[in-house]
Amino acid sequence: MQQSLFSDQHADKNGLAGELDLTALNEAQYAAVTHGQGPVLVIAGAGSGKTRTLVYRMAYLIGQGVAPESILLLTFTRRAAQEMLWRASRLTDQACRRIIGGTFHATSNMLLRRHGHHLGFGSGFTIIDRGDAEGIINLIKSSLGLAGKNKRFPSKRIIMNLLSGQVNKNRSLEDLVREDHAHLAEFIDDFRTIRRHYTEFKLEHGLMDYDDLLVNWHRLLTECGSAREEICSGFAHILVDEYQDTNLIQAEIVRLLAHGHDNVMVVGDDAQSIYSFRGADFHNIMRFPGQFPQARIIKLEENYRSTQPILSLTNAIIASATEKFTKTLFTRTDGGTRPRVVPARNESAEARYVADRIDQLHQDGTPLAEMAVLFRSGFHSFKLELELNSRGMAFEKRGGLKLTESAHIKDLLSFLRILANPWDNLSWNRILLQLDRVGQKTAHKVLAAISESDDPVAALAAYKAPPSWRSGLAALNEALGRMRQPDLTPSQQFDAAMAYYEPIFEKIYYDDHPKRRKDLEQVRTLIGGYSDLQSFLDDTALDPPETDTATLSGDDEEGRLILSTIHSAKGLEWDVVFVIGLAEGRFPQPRTVPGEQWEEERRLLYVAATRARKQLYLTYPRQMMTPDRKLHHTGMSPFLREISPGLYEIIGNTPMPAPALSPDQEHRARPRPQKTRSARLDFTPGMQVLHPLFGPGTVKSIPGPRRVEIRFDRHGDKILHLDYAKLEIIQ
């Protein structure tokens, strides 16, 4: 019987007013979708339909009479938000299109342009990306005399990592230097000075980097009572996707947004938290029930992606995790083959096996695009790439630059950013340096003359340039005049900028400008979909499109084999997945000891294995080359050794792996390698040693098998693997 959408949440799943058919949901999804008031944590196992759950939740809330504009959906990619809102709109006669949905940074951008005046910000600020931020750091280093010929000073990348780490990891600058860059401790005062100048530069020129967007959103909610009330009262329900990927400030923003109602649904999987290097805090999802004591916990465990043999192995991978929400993935689909573990003699043999198997699967009818090879780090696929190239097998390696990180795209965007924010000195600097006979000193002089003006573009037109570059400046001023004509669309502004920039572009990028021109054409296509320039600039800064490396030729209809780091593969799936390099000392990474990083490496393998729908291959070399060109014998990853051999089929004439050992058991067992690079194995705390690179030091602890932690006199604490370290005993 059809029941009203406004009836009790335990109503029959078959209809709810005949408007929203909930029969597509399983029992756990239904419980999440029809949850009433208050906080709820949805632990969504891999392939368990979390997107479907969020989509139906939005549609259900609207059916309950909740205004679409009062629902806020927070995601980590714009694509995810757009897909969910589109799917939800098909269930609600387009009402879901009025839901506020987007990434944390995009939502912050929207709110700061509306409410930033409470903090003293105008609505015309420019968002800068990582490359722009590093450019400013370089300018500051030069102006402070910290960079130049024969001067050793940390790079702009390291400095930016430290400044950004303060926000995303909620750590002090001093702690980050001490723990991650102890050798740079002598520069700590310089880092503080750069930080102060960087903050002042952004304020003076109306700039915000990605971290500023979060910090200032947080400030709005904590420092401005009227802004907080206006924002929080406007959102009656908060939905957050991939909550395990939030950093501390994002989790605090979610908590603050729930002020007054606590109607928060966060969806995520603690077992897929793999982005600590970006500042993601695994403990956010574990702490949620403590932050919201009334929170209901719902687990989505039915998997719609993989066969049961694959799920049984992935359950075993995560079962040994020291901290987790216990869950067991299962499927109602019958059949499937056990995953295969493949020891190979060395990396070349491993590459040949993978290439042979892919070739055979392809001949048997599996499209190349339905197969993927995953690995821990980008360089781990080097041997395989050589093998595939030698066979003429097409593949696509995932990763690389975002489109708007390319120098030529940054050049062109500088003109458009000036039109939106004439006080953007970073863009002005880039434009001026394109002029013949204009260097950094001249550019600084021009900027000093125009930046205090009410209209920097008009001030530049009046600037008295010397004869050597007067004609170049005149051409620039004429082009800016055309770009600023009233009533131009963003596409027309782009065309005006391109007309000026094209000869400069061909001169600067003489060697490969035809190839780069395709990127400019892609931007021309993108901007055609916008009616106002500011929205285009915001989107390209907050969610820049990928360089179109995946474009295929017309005769490549079935796509290409995918090679990808595991981090880049999260959220994707294929019929056949190979995970390579699963050797001890490679996965987990070298020098990883039991603790939080060890557990994240375990979760990384779990993410890799759960990408497979039908077949899963886990391969590793038994012999690897060390950096000093010595052969090193190794075994399978300790994460594989923990798994019962009955859950996989081993390929080749290799004995079954040893019984699983926990990291602590491995430490007590102290297995000895067949060959060691060190003079002895029985190191003890307090022992004095000498390393050829780090010099003298004292053994501090024995953190794991074949590992030793040493406090070096000049280089601080290091954890070394005894198969690689050339240690000499002093006493």
Side-chain angles (χ1 to χ4, degrees):
M1 183 177 71
Q2 305 293 340
Q3 300 191 36
S4 169
L5 236 130
F6 303 95
S7 62
D8 184 88
Q9 70 176 40
H10 299 292
D12 188 341
K13 294 196 319 183
N14 288 333
L16 288 179
E19 300 264 341
L20 184 62
D21 182 4
L22 300 181
T23 56
L25 306 176
N26 63 37
E27 186 175 348
Q29 292 170 339
Y30 177 77
V33 166
T34 60
H35 172 74
Q37 299 291 305
V40 58
L41 168 62
V42 180
I43 301 297
S48 63
K50 72 175 180 65
T51 299
R52 179 192 302 167
T53 302
L54 282 167
V55 166
Y56 272 81
R57 175 64 174 172
M58 289 185 283
Y60 178 81
L61 288 173
I62 290 175
Q64 292 281 45
V66 176
E69 298 83 358
S70 70
I71 300 173
L72 174 63
L73 170 67
L74 293 172
T75 66
F76 277 85
T77 67
R78 181 172 58 173
R79 181 181 299 175
Q82 289 174 335
E83 179 188 350
M84 282 188 259
L85 293 175
W86 177 78
R87 287 173 58 177
S89 69
R90 298 179 67 192
L91 301 172
T92 59
D93 294 329
Q94 309 301 313
C96 281
R97 290 187 178 275
R98 302 202 304 275
I99 289 175
I100 307 299
T103 65
F104 277 87
H105 293 89
T107 305
S108 175
N109 172 57
M110 174 194 71
L111 293 174
L112 286 170
R113 293 196 189 278
R114 292 180 185 175
H115 305 285
H117 60 276
H118 291 284
L119 299 174
F121 296 112
S123 61
F125 60 83
T126 295
I127 302 168
I128 58 174
D129 64 15
R130 174 63 181 249
D132 295 329
E134 290 182 357
I136 296 172
I137 295 297
N138 250 4
L139 290 173
I140 293 170
K141 283 171 58 179
S142 297
S143 67
L144 295 175
L146 298 174
K149 190 176 181 181
N150 300 324
K151 288 190 177 182
R152 296 187 61 185
F153 195 81
S155 69
K156 60 185 180 181
R157 180 182 62 84
I158 293 296
I159 296 171
M160 201 62 229
N161 284 346
L162 290 170
L163 300 186
S164 184
Q166 288 185 266
V167 176
N168 292 296
K169 298 182 180 180
N170 194 38
R171 307 294 302 281
S172 70
L173 184 62
E174 293 73 17
D175 283 347
L176 290 171
V177 171
R178 184 177 66 251
E179 295 179 12
D180 299 329
H181 303 281
H183 61 295
L184 302 179
E186 64 181 289
F187 301 111
I188 189 67
D189 289 336
D190 294 322
F191 293 153
R192 293 192 192 102
T193 301
I194 290 172
R195 178 179 61 188
R196 185 180 72 253
H197 282 270
Y198 178 59
T199 300
E200 292 172 353
F201 185 98
K202 289 183 293 183
L203 287 173
E204 289 173 2
H205 300 102
L207 308 176
M208 284 194 201
D209 62 24
Y210 295 152
D211 298 328
D212 294 326
L213 292 171
L214 297 181
V215 169
N216 290 324
W217 187 5
H218 186 268
R219 288 181 60 201
L220 272 180
L221 297 173
T222 55
E223 299 177 14
C224 310
S226 58
R228 179 176 63 248
E229 290 302 320
E230 190 173 348
I231 292 171
C232 293
S233 63
F235 297 125
H237 286 269
I238 316 297
L239 285 70
V240 187
D241 187 27
E242 304 283 17
Y243 191 70
Q244 78 280 349
D245 293 337
T246 55
N247 60 27
L248 188 61
I249 193 170
Q250 288 168 328
E252 289 183 355
I253 286 171
V254 171
R255 179 178 56 80
L256 291 165
L257 285 171
H259 171 71
H261 56 72
D262 283 357
N263 290 328
V264 180
M265 172 181 282
V266 299
V267 181
D269 184 4
D270 54 293
Q272 297 188 68
S273 179
I274 60 173
Y275 294 118
S276 65
F277 65 95
R278 295 180 185 169
D281 191 338
F282 164 79
H283 295 98
N284 283 343
I285 195 167
M286 306 304 296
R287 283 192 291 253
F288 186 86
Q291 291 180 323
F292 294 89
Q294 305 303 315
R296 180 184 181 188
I297 300 176
I298 299 172
K299 298 178 183 178
L300 306 185
E301 297 175 289
E302 182 172 355
N303 180 280
Y304 296 92
R305 174 187 301 158
S306 307
T307 63
Q308 190 59 53
I310 292 174
L311 295 178
S312 296
L313 183 133
T314 58
N315 287 333
I317 291 172
I318 209 64
S320 299
T322 57
E323 189 177 3
K324 61 184 180 294
F325 287 105
T326 302
K327 60 182 176 298
T328 303
L329 297 182
F330 70 92
T331 181
R332 300 182 192 275
T333 304
D334 295 329
T337 59
R338 285 187 298 168
R340 297 169 173 89
V341 171
V342 186
R345 184 170 61 85
N346 53 32
E347 291 179 86
S348 295
E350 180 185 32
R352 285 195 297 273
Y353 173 83
V354 172
D356 285 343
R357 193 73 194 113
I358 289 170
D359 189 38
Q360 186 61 56
L361 288 165
H362 188 213
Q363 290 182 35
D364 292 343
T366 302
L368 286 176
E370 285 300 334
M371 293 186 275
V373 182
L374 309 182
F375 30 85
R376 175 63 184 83
S377 300
F379 67 92
H380 291 171
S381 66
F382 177 65
K383 293 283 187 182
L384 179 60
E385 291 175 51
L386 292 177
E387 184 68 28
L388 295 174
N389 279 324
S390 70
R391 300 179 183 214
M393 296 177 68
F395 66 88
E396 174 193 339
K397 189 169 182 179
R398 290 283 168 86
L401 286 175
K402 301 283 189 180
L403 180 67
T404 50
E405 290 174 348
S406 304
H408 53 297
I409 302 300
K410 280 183 172 291
D411 287 347
L412 189 63
L413 290 180
S414 293
F415 295 100
L416 304 180
R417 286 167 52 167
I418 286 296
L419 300 180
N421 176 10
W423 294 273
D424 180 354
N425 274 20
L426 191 65
S427 294
W428 273 123
N429 189 69
R430 195 174 192 100
I431 291 169
L432 291 171
L433 289 176
Q434 295 170 2
L435 297 174
D436 286 337
R437 313 299 294 272
V438 172
Q440 196 66 66
K441 289 184 179 180
T442 301
H444 282 171
K445 183 179 177 181
V446 175
L447 289 175
I450 70 174
S451 58
E452 299 300 322
S453 169
D454 291 338
D455 185 350
V457 178
L460 184 69
Y463 187 83
K464 302 299 184 183
S468 59
W469 55 280
R470 186 176 298 160
S471 61
L473 179 61
L476 172 60
N477 284 322
E478 182 181 351
L480 290 171
R482 289 195 299 270
M483 295 176 213
R484 296 185 91 193
Q485 290 178 16
D487 302 325
L488 290 185
T489 65
S491 291
Q492 291 169 328
Q493 290 172 310
F494 176 94
D495 290 341
M498 192 62 199
Y500 167 78
Y501 175 63
E502 187 161 15
I504 298 172
F505 162 71
E506 292 180 355
K507 179 180 178 181
I508 295 176
Y509 305 106
Y510 174 77
D511 290 341
D512 63 349
H513 71 79
K515 179 180 178 181
R516 290 175 182 256
R517 187 182 299 277
K518 294 179 181 178
D519 295 338
L520 293 169
E521 292 169 354
Q522 189 173 344
V523 175
R524 174 66 176 80
T525 300
L526 289 172
I527 201 171
Y530 288 82
S531 59
D532 70 283
L533 185 60
Q534 188 66 65
S535 295
F536 169 76
L537 294 172
D538 287 348
D539 283 351
T540 54
L542 291 167
D543 193 13
E546 299 282 354
T547 303
D548 196 13
T549 56
T551 300
L552 306 174
S553 60
D555 58 355
D556 196 4
E557 296 179 357
E558 68 156 17
R560 303 183 185 188
L561 171 72
I562 300 300
L563 273 56
S564 175
T565 63
I566 300 170
H567 287 101
S568 297
K570 186 171 178 291
L572 304 176
E573 57 188 74
W574 296 269
D575 282 349
V576 182
V577 169
F578 296 81
V579 187
I580 65 174
L582 289 172
E584 184 176 20
R586 174 161 285 186
F587 205 131
Q589 291 191 103
R591 297 179 297 281
T592 304
V593 297
E596 289 191 12
Q597 195 57 46
W598 181 280
E599 292 303 313
E600 179 156 325
E601 294 283 309
R602 183 196 310 282
R603 297 193 295 268
L604 197 60
L605 178 56
Y606 174 83
V607 167
T610 54
R611 302 307 96 198
R613 297 191 194 106
K614 299 177 181 178
Q615 296 188 54
L616 175 63
Y617 294 82
L618 307 169
T619 74
Y620 68 94
R622 291 176 296 178
Q623 195 176 64
M624 293 191 299
M625 192 76 73
T626 63
D628 57 355
R629 306 296 295 171
K630 302 293 183 181
L631 283 176
H632 162 57
H633 295 278
T634 187
M636 66 167 62
S637 165
F639 299 138
L640 289 184
R641 291 206 304 272
E642 293 173 346
I643 300 172
S644 168
L647 294 177
Y648 56 79
E649 176 185 355
I650 196 158
I651 303 296
N653 298 319
T654 300
M656 297 298 284
L661 295 177
S662 70
D664 289 339
Q665 289 172 324
E666 287 187 329
H667 172 73
R668 290 194 296 270
R670 298 285 298 280
R672 305 299 200 253
Q674 295 178 2
K675 183 177 181 180
T676 178
R677 296 291 304 141
S678 295
R680 64 185 281 182
L681 289 174
D682 297 323
F683 292 93
T684 57
M687 183 177 289
Q688 303 297 305
V689 296
L690 181 68
H691 186 277
L693 177 62
F694 301 128
T698 304
V699 175
K700 185 178 176 183
S701 67
I702 312 298
R706 301 203 292 281
R707 292 176 177 83
V708 60
E709 183 178 16
I710 300 173
R711 174 159 291 170
F712 289 102
D713 298 348
R714 296 193 301 272
H715 296 276
D717 294 352
K718 304 284 183 185
I719 296 176
L720 303 178
H721 198 296
L722 295 178
D723 289 346
Y724 309 136
K726 298 178 181 180
L727 291 177
E728 225 179 283
I729 309 300
I730 299 177
Q731 63 179 36

